[in-house]
Amino acid sequence: MSITNKKPSQFSPLALAYIGDGVYELFVRTRVIEEHENMPANKLHKHTVRYVRAHSQANSIDAIVPIMTEDEISVYKRGRNAKSNTMPKNAVVADYRKATGFEALIGFLYLSGENDRLEELMNIAYESALDK
C-alpha cells in the first residue's frame, strides 16, 4: 500500500511507529479472535492489550533482533532513539523506547510492501510477547 510518493525511509521514525502500531494491533486482534472466537468483546480487548503493551513489544523485539537484517536494525534503532513527547503511565522508559522501535520497524515493512517478511516477524513477535 502506498500512502504517498514518499519512500518509507523518508518518513520520520515516529510516523513509521504510528502506522506500525495500527498494523500490529490489527494483526494481534486477528490472532486473538482466531484463538478465542466466542469470547465477549471486552475479554478479546483484554487479551489484545496483553500483546500490544510496551513491555510485551519489548519482549517481541528482543526475540526478533537476532534474525533482523542490518537495514531492519537501522530502522528499529531510529524508532527506538526517537524523542517522543508522551509516554504511557504504566510503561518503563526502556520498554517504551524498544516498543517504539518495534512499531517503527513494523510500519517500515508495511509501507515497503514487504508482506512476507512483515508476517514472519509479527508471528515471532506475537509468540514471544508474553512473559513465560
Side-chain angles (χ1 to χ4, degrees), residues 3-4 12-13 16 18-19 27 36-37 39 44 48 65 74 76-77 81 89 95 104 107 114 117 119 123 128 130:
I3 58 174
T4 69
S12 75
L16 292 173
Y18 177 76
I19 192 77
F27 172 83
H36 308 283
E37 63 186 61
M39 191 176 281
L44 290 169
T48 298
V65 162
S74 177
Y76 161 68
K77 287 181 178 179
N81 296 334
K89 61 184 173 190
D95 285 348
E114 296 184 38
R117 182 63 170 165
E119 187 171 353
N123 278 313
S128 306
L130 303 181

PDB file of all heavy atoms in Angstrom, residues 3-4 12-13 16 18-19 27 36-37 39 44 48 65 74 76-77 81 89 95 104 107 114 117 119 123 128 130:
ATOM      1  N   ILE A   3       0.881   5.297   0.550  1.00  0.00           N
ATOM      2  CA  ILE A   3       0.053   6.409   1.004  1.00  0.00           C
ATOM      3  C   ILE A   3       0.493   7.729   0.391  1.00  0.00           C
ATOM      4  O   ILE A   3      -0.253   8.681   0.385  1.00  0.00           O
ATOM      5  CB  ILE A   3       0.012   6.503   2.542  1.00  0.00           C
ATOM      6  CG1 ILE A   3       1.405   6.661   3.122  1.00  0.00           C
ATOM      7  CG2 ILE A   3      -0.685   5.297   3.114  1.00  0.00           C
ATOM      8  CD1 ILE A   3       1.418   6.904   4.605  1.00  0.00           C
ATOM      9  N   THR A   4       1.703   7.776  -0.094  1.00  0.00           N
ATOM     10  CA  THR A   4       2.204   8.961  -0.795  1.00  0.00           C
ATOM     11  C   THR A   4       3.269   8.498  -1.774  1.00  0.00           C
ATOM     12  O   THR A   4       3.546   7.317  -1.897  1.00  0.00           O
ATOM     13  CB  THR A   4       2.853   9.985   0.169  1.00  0.00           C
ATOM     14  OG1 THR A   4       4.061   9.434   0.671  1.00  0.00           O
ATOM     15  CG2 THR A   4       1.928  10.373   1.306  1.00  0.00           C
ATOM     16  N   SER A  12       9.397  10.087   9.172  1.00  0.00           N
ATOM     17  CA  SER A  12      10.030  10.173  10.485  1.00  0.00           C
ATOM     18  C   SER A  12       9.824   8.845  11.209  1.00  0.00           C
ATOM     19  O   SER A  12       8.861   8.119  10.938  1.00  0.00           O
ATOM     20  CB  SER A  12       9.414  11.306  11.310  1.00  0.00           C
ATOM     21  OG  SER A  12       8.138  10.919  11.796  1.00  0.00           O
ATOM     22  N   PRO A  13      10.724   8.518  12.130  1.00  0.00           N
ATOM     23  CA  PRO A  13      10.559   7.266  12.871  1.00  0.00           C
ATOM     24  C   PRO A  13       9.247   7.218  13.653  1.00  0.00           C
ATOM     25  O   PRO A  13       8.643   6.160  13.784  1.00  0.00           O
ATOM     26  CB  PRO A  13      11.764   7.214  13.802  1.00  0.00           C
ATOM     27  CG  PRO A  13      12.553   8.431  13.572  1.00  0.00           C
ATOM     28  CD  PRO A  13      11.950   9.217  12.476  1.00  0.00           C
ATOM     29  N   LEU A  16       6.482   6.307  11.258  1.00  0.00           N
ATOM     30  CA  LEU A  16       6.539   4.865  11.000  1.00  0.00           C
ATOM     31  C   LEU A  16       5.953   4.092  12.182  1.00  0.00           C
ATOM     32  O   LEU A  16       5.213   3.123  11.999  1.00  0.00           O
ATOM     33  CB  LEU A  16       7.979   4.415  10.744  1.00  0.00           C
ATOM     34  CG  LEU A  16       8.626   4.903   9.459  1.00  0.00           C
ATOM     35  CD1 LEU A  16      10.105   4.525   9.427  1.00  0.00           C
ATOM     36  CD2 LEU A  16       7.901   4.362   8.233  1.00  0.00           C
ATOM     37  N   TYR A  18       3.732   5.161  14.277  1.00  0.00           N
ATOM     38  CA  TYR A  18       2.293   5.407  14.306  1.00  0.00           C
ATOM     39  C   TYR A  18       1.560   4.414  13.403  1.00  0.00           C
ATOM     40  O   TYR A  18       0.575   3.786  13.815  1.00  0.00           O
ATOM     41  CB  TYR A  18       2.006   6.848  13.875  1.00  0.00           C
ATOM     42  CG  TYR A  18       0.546   7.179  13.793  1.00  0.00           C
ATOM     43  CD1 TYR A  18      -0.210   7.404  14.942  1.00  0.00           C
ATOM     44  CD2 TYR A  18      -0.093   7.257  12.562  1.00  0.00           C
ATOM     45  CE1 TYR A  18      -1.555   7.712  14.863  1.00  0.00           C
ATOM     46  CE2 TYR A  18      -1.436   7.565  12.475  1.00  0.00           C
ATOM     47  CZ  TYR A  18      -2.164   7.787  13.628  1.00  0.00           C
ATOM     48  OH  TYR A  18      -3.504   8.083  13.549  1.00  0.00           O
ATOM     49  N   ILE A  19       2.029   4.253  12.177  1.00  0.00           N
ATOM     50  CA  ILE A  19       1.378   3.314  11.267  1.00  0.00           C
ATOM     51  C   ILE A  19       1.647   1.873  11.708  1.00  0.00           C
ATOM     52  O   ILE A  19       0.772   1.011  11.650  1.00  0.00           O
ATOM     53  CB  ILE A  19       1.784   3.549   9.780  1.00  0.00           C
ATOM     54  CG1 ILE A  19       0.879   2.765   8.830  1.00  0.00           C
ATOM     55  CG2 ILE A  19       3.216   3.182   9.507  1.00  0.00           C
ATOM     56  CD1 ILE A  19      -0.469   3.369   8.625  1.00  0.00           C
ATOM     57  N   PHE A  27      -3.104  -7.026  13.419  1.00  0.00           N
ATOM     58  CA  PHE A  27      -2.576  -8.397  13.366  1.00  0.00           C
ATOM     59  C   PHE A  27      -2.909  -9.138  14.663  1.00  0.00           C
ATOM     60  O   PHE A  27      -3.397 -10.263  14.642  1.00  0.00           O
ATOM     61  CB  PHE A  27      -1.057  -8.359  13.136  1.00  0.00           C
ATOM     62  CG  PHE A  27      -0.398  -9.704  13.250  1.00  0.00           C
ATOM     63  CD1 PHE A  27      -0.387 -10.575  12.178  1.00  0.00           C
ATOM     64  CD2 PHE A  27       0.212 -10.095  14.438  1.00  0.00           C
ATOM     65  CE1 PHE A  27       0.222 -11.830  12.287  1.00  0.00           C
ATOM     66  CE2 PHE A  27       0.821 -11.330  14.552  1.00  0.00           C
ATOM     67  CZ  PHE A  27       0.818 -12.199  13.475  1.00  0.00           C
ATOM     68  N   HIS A  36      -9.836 -17.169  20.153  1.00  0.00           N
ATOM     69  CA  HIS A  36     -10.921 -17.053  21.139  1.00  0.00           C
ATOM     70  C   HIS A  36     -12.189 -16.509  20.480  1.00  0.00           C
ATOM     71  O   HIS A  36     -12.781 -15.548  20.963  1.00  0.00           O
ATOM     72  CB  HIS A  36     -10.505 -16.099  22.269  1.00  0.00           C
ATOM     73  CG  HIS A  36      -9.194 -16.407  22.892  1.00  0.00           C
ATOM     74  ND1 HIS A  36      -9.020 -17.435  23.789  1.00  0.00           N
ATOM     75  CD2 HIS A  36      -7.978 -15.827  22.739  1.00  0.00           C
ATOM     76  CE1 HIS A  36      -7.748 -17.468  24.173  1.00  0.00           C
ATOM     77  NE2 HIS A  36      -7.099 -16.510  23.552  1.00  0.00           N
ATOM     78  N   GLU A  37     -12.640 -17.111  19.409  1.00  0.00           N
ATOM     79  CA  GLU A  37     -13.702 -16.522  18.596  1.00  0.00           C
ATOM     80  C   GLU A  37     -15.028 -16.331  19.315  1.00  0.00           C
ATOM     81  O   GLU A  37     -15.808 -15.462  18.943  1.00  0.00           O
ATOM     82  CB  GLU A  37     -13.903 -17.319  17.315  1.00  0.00           C
ATOM     83  CG  GLU A  37     -14.365 -18.741  17.546  1.00  0.00           C
ATOM     84  CD  GLU A  37     -14.401 -19.531  16.265  1.00  0.00           C
ATOM     85  OE1 GLU A  37     -13.350 -19.693  15.647  1.00  0.00           O
ATOM     86  OE2 GLU A  37     -15.500 -19.985  15.901  1.00  0.00           O
ATOM     87  N   MET A  39     -15.454 -15.498  22.504  1.00  0.00           N
ATOM     88  CA  MET A  39     -15.261 -14.713  23.713  1.00  0.00           C
ATOM     89  C   MET A  39     -15.933 -13.344  23.559  1.00  0.00           C
ATOM     90  O   MET A  39     -15.933 -12.777  22.465  1.00  0.00           O
ATOM     91  CB  MET A  39     -13.745 -14.541  23.945  1.00  0.00           C
ATOM     92  CG  MET A  39     -13.371 -13.975  25.269  1.00  0.00           C
ATOM     93  SD  MET A  39     -11.562 -13.950  25.458  1.00  0.00           S
ATOM     94  CE  MET A  39     -11.271 -15.654  25.886  1.00  0.00           C
ATOM     95  N   LEU A  44     -11.868 -10.073  24.617  1.00  0.00           N
ATOM     96  CA  LEU A  44     -10.976 -10.041  23.456  1.00  0.00           C
ATOM     97  C   LEU A  44     -10.042  -8.841  23.562  1.00  0.00           C
ATOM     98  O   LEU A  44      -8.843  -8.949  23.307  1.00  0.00           O
ATOM     99  CB  LEU A  44     -11.782  -9.965  22.151  1.00  0.00           C
ATOM    100  CG  LEU A  44     -12.576 -11.206  21.753  1.00  0.00           C
ATOM    101  CD1 LEU A  44     -13.515 -10.872  20.604  1.00  0.00           C
ATOM    102  CD2 LEU A  44     -11.653 -12.354  21.403  1.00  0.00           C
ATOM    103  N   THR A  48      -5.948  -8.701  23.773  1.00  0.00           N
ATOM    104  CA  THR A  48      -5.180  -7.905  22.807  1.00  0.00           C
ATOM    105  C   THR A  48      -4.223  -6.972  23.515  1.00  0.00           C
ATOM    106  O   THR A  48      -3.042  -6.882  23.144  1.00  0.00           O
ATOM    107  CB  THR A  48      -6.131  -7.111  21.888  1.00  0.00           C
ATOM    108  OG1 THR A  48      -6.939  -8.046  21.159  1.00  0.00           O
ATOM    109  CG2 THR A  48      -5.366  -6.236  20.918  1.00  0.00           C
ATOM    110  N   VAL A  65      15.394  -9.493  17.096  1.00  0.00           N
ATOM    111  CA  VAL A  65      16.667  -8.826  16.754  1.00  0.00           C
ATOM    112  C   VAL A  65      17.684  -9.799  16.157  1.00  0.00           C
ATOM    113  O   VAL A  65      18.339  -9.466  15.167  1.00  0.00           O
ATOM    114  CB  VAL A  65      17.246  -8.058  17.963  1.00  0.00           C
ATOM    115  CG1 VAL A  65      18.718  -7.747  17.772  1.00  0.00           C
ATOM    116  CG2 VAL A  65      16.471  -6.771  18.184  1.00  0.00           C
ATOM    117  N   SER A  74      18.619  -0.881  11.593  1.00  0.00           N
ATOM    118  CA  SER A  74      18.752   0.562  11.461  1.00  0.00           C
ATOM    119  C   SER A  74      17.403   1.266  11.667  1.00  0.00           C
ATOM    120  O   SER A  74      17.316   2.273  12.380  1.00  0.00           O
ATOM    121  CB  SER A  74      19.332   0.903  10.088  1.00  0.00           C
ATOM    122  OG  SER A  74      19.400   2.293   9.911  1.00  0.00           O
ATOM    123  N   TYR A  76      14.795   0.037  13.265  1.00  0.00           N
ATOM    124  CA  TYR A  76      14.451  -0.175  14.679  1.00  0.00           C
ATOM    125  C   TYR A  76      15.159   0.845  15.576  1.00  0.00           C
ATOM    126  O   TYR A  76      14.538   1.478  16.428  1.00  0.00           O
ATOM    127  CB  TYR A  76      14.790  -1.603  15.110  1.00  0.00           C
ATOM    128  CG  TYR A  76      14.902  -1.754  16.598  1.00  0.00           C
ATOM    129  CD1 TYR A  76      13.775  -1.630  17.411  1.00  0.00           C
ATOM    130  CD2 TYR A  76      16.130  -1.987  17.211  1.00  0.00           C
ATOM    131  CE1 TYR A  76      13.878  -1.742  18.784  1.00  0.00           C
ATOM    132  CE2 TYR A  76      16.232  -2.098  18.582  1.00  0.00           C
ATOM    133  CZ  TYR A  76      15.109  -1.979  19.366  1.00  0.00           C
ATOM    134  OH  TYR A  76      15.213  -2.070  20.730  1.00  0.00           O
ATOM    135  N   LYS A  77      16.450   1.036  15.360  1.00  0.00           N
ATOM    136  CA  LYS A  77      17.218   1.970  16.193  1.00  0.00           C
ATOM    137  C   LYS A  77      16.747   3.406  16.013  1.00  0.00           C
ATOM    138  O   LYS A  77      16.701   4.173  16.979  1.00  0.00           O
ATOM    139  CB  LYS A  77      18.715   1.852  15.908  1.00  0.00           C
ATOM    140  CG  LYS A  77      19.326   0.587  16.476  1.00  0.00           C
ATOM    141  CD  LYS A  77      20.810   0.522  16.192  1.00  0.00           C
ATOM    142  CE  LYS A  77      21.431  -0.713  16.810  1.00  0.00           C
ATOM    143  NZ  LYS A  77      22.882  -0.796  16.528  1.00  0.00           N
ATOM    144  N   ASN A  81      15.338   5.413  19.227  1.00  0.00           N
ATOM    145  CA  ASN A  81      16.017   6.620  19.677  1.00  0.00           C
ATOM    146  C   ASN A  81      15.223   7.904  19.429  1.00  0.00           C
ATOM    147  O   ASN A  81      15.663   8.980  19.830  1.00  0.00           O
ATOM    148  CB  ASN A  81      17.383   6.719  19.009  1.00  0.00           C
ATOM    149  CG  ASN A  81      18.296   5.584  19.429  1.00  0.00           C
ATOM    150  OD1 ASN A  81      18.149   5.010  20.505  1.00  0.00           O
ATOM    151  ND2 ASN A  81      19.229   5.232  18.573  1.00  0.00           N
ATOM    152  N   LYS A  89       1.459   5.845  31.180  1.00  0.00           N
ATOM    153  CA  LYS A  89       1.731   5.949  32.618  1.00  0.00           C
ATOM    154  C   LYS A  89       2.250   4.652  33.228  1.00  0.00           C
ATOM    155  O   LYS A  89       2.954   4.686  34.222  1.00  0.00           O
ATOM    156  CB  LYS A  89       0.484   6.415  33.362  1.00  0.00           C
ATOM    157  CG  LYS A  89      -0.702   5.493  33.231  1.00  0.00           C
ATOM    158  CD  LYS A  89      -1.928   6.039  33.909  1.00  0.00           C
ATOM    159  CE  LYS A  89      -3.115   5.144  33.575  1.00  0.00           C
ATOM    160  NZ  LYS A  89      -4.354   5.708  33.997  1.00  0.00           N
ATOM    161  N   ASP A  95      11.341  -0.018  28.010  1.00  0.00           N
ATOM    162  CA  ASP A  95      10.364  -0.818  27.261  1.00  0.00           C
ATOM    163  C   ASP A  95       9.640   0.037  26.231  1.00  0.00           C
ATOM    164  O   ASP A  95       9.410  -0.394  25.101  1.00  0.00           O
ATOM    165  CB  ASP A  95       9.331  -1.442  28.205  1.00  0.00           C
ATOM    166  CG  ASP A  95       9.866  -2.621  28.994  1.00  0.00           C
ATOM    167  OD1 ASP A  95      10.969  -3.123  28.680  1.00  0.00           O
ATOM    168  OD2 ASP A  95       9.152  -3.056  29.923  1.00  0.00           O
ATOM    169  N   ALA A 104       8.075   1.125  14.683  1.00  0.00           N
ATOM    170  CA  ALA A 104       8.666   1.780  13.511  1.00  0.00           C
ATOM    171  C   ALA A 104       9.070   0.735  12.473  1.00  0.00           C
ATOM    172  O   ALA A 104       8.857   0.913  11.268  1.00  0.00           O
ATOM    173  CB  ALA A 104       9.867   2.637  13.917  1.00  0.00           C
ATOM    174  N   GLY A 107       5.938  -0.570  10.794  1.00  0.00           N
ATOM    175  CA  GLY A 107       5.450   0.438   9.853  1.00  0.00           C
ATOM    176  C   GLY A 107       6.291   0.499   8.592  1.00  0.00           C
ATOM    177  O   GLY A 107       5.769   0.615   7.479  1.00  0.00           O
ATOM    178  N   GLU A 114       6.752  -5.244   2.072  1.00  0.00           N
ATOM    179  CA  GLU A 114       7.461  -6.494   2.372  1.00  0.00           C
ATOM    180  C   GLU A 114       6.566  -7.388   3.233  1.00  0.00           C
ATOM    181  O   GLU A 114       6.873  -7.674   4.398  1.00  0.00           O
ATOM    182  CB  GLU A 114       8.791  -6.190   3.052  1.00  0.00           C
ATOM    183  CG  GLU A 114       9.752  -5.429   2.155  1.00  0.00           C
ATOM    184  CD  GLU A 114      11.107  -5.202   2.794  1.00  0.00           C
ATOM    185  OE1 GLU A 114      11.598  -6.119   3.492  1.00  0.00           O
ATOM    186  OE2 GLU A 114      11.656  -4.113   2.599  1.00  0.00           O
ATOM    187  N   ARG A 117       7.947 -10.801   4.860  1.00  0.00           N
ATOM    188  CA  ARG A 117       8.855 -10.532   5.986  1.00  0.00           C
ATOM    189  C   ARG A 117       8.078  -9.965   7.167  1.00  0.00           C
ATOM    190  O   ARG A 117       8.324 -10.328   8.314  1.00  0.00           O
ATOM    191  CB  ARG A 117       9.957  -9.565   5.547  1.00  0.00           C
ATOM    192  CG  ARG A 117      10.966  -9.255   6.609  1.00  0.00           C
ATOM    193  CD  ARG A 117      11.743 -10.477   7.029  1.00  0.00           C
ATOM    194  NE  ARG A 117      12.855 -10.080   7.888  1.00  0.00           N
ATOM    195  CZ  ARG A 117      13.539 -10.903   8.637  1.00  0.00           C
ATOM    196  NH1 ARG A 117      13.257 -12.203   8.613  1.00  0.00           N
ATOM    197  NH2 ARG A 117      14.516 -10.476   9.385  1.00  0.00           N
ATOM    198  N   GLU A 119       4.926 -10.476   7.959  1.00  0.00           N
ATOM    199  CA  GLU A 119       4.174 -11.557   8.600  1.00  0.00           C
ATOM    200  C   GLU A 119       5.097 -12.474   9.403  1.00  0.00           C
ATOM    201  O   GLU A 119       4.762 -12.882  10.518  1.00  0.00           O
ATOM    202  CB  GLU A 119       3.399 -12.364   7.563  1.00  0.00           C
ATOM    203  CG  GLU A 119       2.489 -13.382   8.198  1.00  0.00           C
ATOM    204  CD  GLU A 119       1.552 -14.058   7.216  1.00  0.00           C
ATOM    205  OE1 GLU A 119       1.498 -13.658   6.040  1.00  0.00           O
ATOM    206  OE2 GLU A 119       0.875 -15.003   7.637  1.00  0.00           O
ATOM    207  N   ASN A 123       4.624 -12.787  13.443  1.00  0.00           N
ATOM    208  CA  ASN A 123       4.310 -14.080  14.054  1.00  0.00           C
ATOM    209  C   ASN A 123       5.285 -14.405  15.181  1.00  0.00           C
ATOM    210  O   ASN A 123       4.881 -14.849  16.252  1.00  0.00           O
ATOM    211  CB  ASN A 123       4.298 -15.196  13.008  1.00  0.00           C
ATOM    212  CG  ASN A 123       2.991 -15.258  12.259  1.00  0.00           C
ATOM    213  OD1 ASN A 123       1.918 -15.213  12.840  1.00  0.00           O
ATOM    214  ND2 ASN A 123       3.072 -15.348  10.941  1.00  0.00           N
ATOM    215  N   SER A 128       6.363 -14.393  21.114  1.00  0.00           N
ATOM    216  CA  SER A 128       7.379 -14.046  22.108  1.00  0.00           C
ATOM    217  C   SER A 128       6.946 -12.907  23.045  1.00  0.00           C
ATOM    218  O   SER A 128       7.689 -12.554  23.947  1.00  0.00           O
ATOM    219  CB  SER A 128       8.656 -13.595  21.392  1.00  0.00           C
ATOM    220  OG  SER A 128       9.080 -14.564  20.473  1.00  0.00           O
ATOM    221  N   LEU A 130       4.532 -12.416  25.421  1.00  0.00           N
ATOM    222  CA  LEU A 130       4.144 -12.580  26.821  1.00  0.00           C
ATOM    223  C   LEU A 130       5.255 -13.216  27.642  1.00  0.00           C
ATOM    224  O   LEU A 130       5.977 -14.090  27.170  1.00  0.00           O
ATOM    225  CB  LEU A 130       2.876 -13.415  26.913  1.00  0.00           C
ATOM    226  CG  LEU A 130       1.679 -12.893  26.140  1.00  0.00           C
ATOM    227  CD1 LEU A 130       0.475 -13.794  26.333  1.00  0.00           C
ATOM    228  CD2 LEU A 130       1.345 -11.467  26.518  1.00  0.00           C
TER     229      LEU A 130
END
